[in-house]
């Protein structure tokens, strides 16, 4: 775009002086400003627009608030460089739109930086001419544009010269490196040739050693084959000896098995002979016992009459079938040898701990009876009705026999059968509060033990 397109010439007869002859910040006289060229701001070179924005940014901070448009006042708080960078668009719009703001910027510039125009700064002169609307503003803008283009070409030339110098230096460096690399290659080739000759000598020496080692290996292989042949002969002899020893061991094992069978047969025969002797002895004792019993009956010895001690006045003994009324009498009976305590299970447990389930009652009663049996050494049998047992029945513990009546049989009948099965004369205690059971067992000579008395002893 031609710089002349950025301006439209105003009315003729304008008396404005060229900007280049004015002071650095001096603008046209306000009286003649109307005759200046009309500026096309959108077609100004970008460098000139930037310098105008810098001048306006510098002036904003020093102008009174009345001369600064309202929307530019916030820029006064920024530094000049920051104002020119961040507010360039707003500053240029306001300079283009407001002739008063342009005049205020020129006046501030004339007041604060007076001096002759700097011919070395055509960009600044063009910016001042544009702000002042000078008639020669197109020439100054064109000169600034040409100066800028010349500067750019000069900078490009300098940059190209700099690159040439750098490339020349780089070429010299690469040449030096190439020469150095060639010298290194030559030296490396010489070193490789020397190393190759040395390796060739070593290969020759190793070949001689290899031939010697091969000869030694052949001799060792021959010796090894001889040793292997001798080892095979020794192994064959050892295997033959092992087979002979195995046959001999088999014969000895067979003899030992036969001897073990004979020993087992002898032991079995001895056990059978001893068992036969024991049976014969038992039969002999039974025969002798029967003979003695028959002799007693024939001679009427051991009748049912009273013994001398039974006739002593002022003393009494516990009679068979007598009830046990207190703990002292119970302890006296439990101290007798071969006492058998028969317990009506549910009768005692429901008397002692009726609040517990039946299974817990059985468990607790059997545990207490086991402790009593361990303490006194008496034989204890506890009988429960088996019809109502739906869970796993209570297992007996050491010293306590636990019985459950069969289907259709009550525990009372089992207790009566137990009393009837005992030999006459053995002390028997039946723990129950059932009157029918008490009367039936007392007729057979057993002692009736109330449940409460037994519970008192179990708790004590």
């Amino acid at each position: 775009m031609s710089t002349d397109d950025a301006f439209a010439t105003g009315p003729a007869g304008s008396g404005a002086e060229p900007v280049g002859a004015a002071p650095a910040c001096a603008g046209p006289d306000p009286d003649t400003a109307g005759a200046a060229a009309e500026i096309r701001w959108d077609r100004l070179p970008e460098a000139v627009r930037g310098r105008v924005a810098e001048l306006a940014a510098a002036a904003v901070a020093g102008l009174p608030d009345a001369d600064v448009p309202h929307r530019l006042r916030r820029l006064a708080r920024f530094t000049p460089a920051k104002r020119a960078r961040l507010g360039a668009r707003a500053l240029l719009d306001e300079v283009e739109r407001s002739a008063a703001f342009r005049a205020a910027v020129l006046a501030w510039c004339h007041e604060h930086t007076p001096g002759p125009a700097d011919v070395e700064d055509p960009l600044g002169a063009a910016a001042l001419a544009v702000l002042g609307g000078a008639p020669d503003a197109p020439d100054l803008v064109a000169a600034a544009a040409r100066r800028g283009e010349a500067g750019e070409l000069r900078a490009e030339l300098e940059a190209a010269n700099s690159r040439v110098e750098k490339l020349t230096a780089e070429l010299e460096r690469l040449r030096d490196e190439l020469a150095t690399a060639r010298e290194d290659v030559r030296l490396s080739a010489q070193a490789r040739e020397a190393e190759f000759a040395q390796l060739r000598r070593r290969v020759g020496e190793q070949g001689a050693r290899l031939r010697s080692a091969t000869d030694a290996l052949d001799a060792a292989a021959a010796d090894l084959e001889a040793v292997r042949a001798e080892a095979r002969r020794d192994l064959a002899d050892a295997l033959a000896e092992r087979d002979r020893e195995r046959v001999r061991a088999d014969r000895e094992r067979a003899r030992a098995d036969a001897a073990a069978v004979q020993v087992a047969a002898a032991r079995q025969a001895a056990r059978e002979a001893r068992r036969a002797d024991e049976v014969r002895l038992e039969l002999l004792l039974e025969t002798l016992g029967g003979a003695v019993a028959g002799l007693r009956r024939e001679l009427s010895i051991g009748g049912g009459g009273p013994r001398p001690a039974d006739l002593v006045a002022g003393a009494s003994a516990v009679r068979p079938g007598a009830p046990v009324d207190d703990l002292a009498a119970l302890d006296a009976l439990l101290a007798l040898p071969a006492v058998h305590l028969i317990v009506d299970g549910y009768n005692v447990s429901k008397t002692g701990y009726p609040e517990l389930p039946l299974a817990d009652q059985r468990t607790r009663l059997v545990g207490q009876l086991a402790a009593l049996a361990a303490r006194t050494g008496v034989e204890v049998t506890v009988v429960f009705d088996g019809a109502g047992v739906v869970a796993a029945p209570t297992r007996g513990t050491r010293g306590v026999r636990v019985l459950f009546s069969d289907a259709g049989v009550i525990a009372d009948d089992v207790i009566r059968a137990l009393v009837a099965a005992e030999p006459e004369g053995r002390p028997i205690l039946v723990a129950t509060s059932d009157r029918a059971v008490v009367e039936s067992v007392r007729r057979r000579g057993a002692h009736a033990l109330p449940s409460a008395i037994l519970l008192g002893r179990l708790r004590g």
Side-chain angles (χ1 to χ4, degrees), residues 120-456:
E120 298 298 330
D121 187 14
L123 189 62
L128 292 173
V130 169
L131 285 173
D136 60 347
D139 298 335
L140 294 175
V141 170
R146 287 193 299 273
R147 185 69 174 268
E149 292 175 358
E152 291 178 359
L153 293 175
R154 190 183 305 109
E156 291 179 0
L157 178 60
E158 292 176 356
N161 292 333
S162 177
R163 283 197 298 274
V164 168
E165 292 177 358
K166 289 182 179 179
L167 291 175
T168 303
E170 183 68 15
L171 179 60
E172 293 296 329
R173 184 182 65 80
L174 291 176
R175 286 176 178 174
D176 294 340
E177 290 181 356
L178 179 60
T180 304
R182 287 176 177 174
E183 182 65 19
D184 293 340
V185 169
R186 186 181 64 80
L187 295 176
S188 299
Q190 294 177 355
R192 282 196 300 272
E193 290 177 357
E195 185 178 359
F196 179 71
Q198 184 178 4
L199 289 176
R200 182 178 297 172
R201 288 193 301 272
R202 290 182 180 178
V203 168
E205 295 174 357
Q206 294 295 333
R209 293 179 183 177
L210 179 60
R211 286 190 295 273
S212 300
T214 303
D215 296 339
L217 179 61
D218 294 338
D223 295 340
L224 178 61
E225 186 61 29
V227 171
R228 284 178 177 175
E230 184 178 359
R232 283 194 292 269
R233 290 193 298 272
D234 294 342
L235 178 60
D237 296 339
L239 291 176
E241 183 66 22
R242 183 202 63 185
D243 294 337
R244 290 192 295 273
E245 292 296 331
R246 180 177 295 170
V247 171
R248 199 160 39 246
D250 292 339
R251 288 198 298 269
E252 294 296 334
R253 188 179 297 108
R255 282 199 294 270
D257 293 341
V261 171
Q262 293 176 1
V263 170
R267 287 179 177 175
Q268 182 65 23
R271 284 195 295 270
E272 292 177 355
R274 181 177 178 182
R275 196 174 298 116
D277 292 340
E278 291 176 352
V279 171
R280 286 194 295 271
L281 180 59
E282 184 178 2
L283 292 175
L284 178 59
L285 291 175
E286 289 180 355
T287 303
L288 291 176
V292 171
L295 185 59
R296 284 179 178 275
R297 285 194 299 272
E298 290 180 3
L299 298 178
S300 299
I301 298 175
R307 296 296 182 99
D310 295 333
L311 302 177
V312 176
S316 62
V318 178
R319 298 183 304 279
V324 180
D325 297 331
D326 53 22
L327 293 177
L330 174 59
D331 292 339
L333 288 173
L334 293 177
L336 295 176
V339 175
H340 187 186
L341 173 61
I342 301 174
V343 180
D344 186 355
Y346 285 136
N347 187 278
V348 175
S349 66
K350 291 179 180 180
T351 301
Y353 11 86
E355 72 281 357
L356 297 179
L358 292 180
D360 294 341
Q361 291 182 17
R362 292 195 300 268
T363 301
R364 183 170 180 179
L365 178 60
V366 170
Q368 291 178 337
L369 290 174
L372 178 65
R375 189 170 62 251
T376 60
V378 301
E379 180 182 355
V380 180
T381 301
V382 58
V383 183
F384 295 101
D385 284 317
V389 178
V390 293
T394 303
R395 297 179 59 186
T397 57
R398 177 174 294 183
V400 179
R401 183 185 298 109
V402 180
L403 301 178
F404 290 88
S405 62
D406 294 335
V409 181
I410 62 176
D412 297 347
D413 294 338
V414 177
I415 293 173
R416 295 186 182 95
L418 288 172
V419 174
E422 290 294 338
E424 185 177 356
R426 182 181 184 184
I428 302 173
L429 284 79
V430 179
T432 182
S433 296
D434 190 326
R435 290 188 178 182
V437 178
V438 168
E439 292 177 358
S440 60
V441 299
R442 288 186 63 186
R443 284 195 297 269
R444 292 185 175 273
H447 298 277
L449 176 61
S451 297
I453 301 297
L454 177 61
L455 290 168

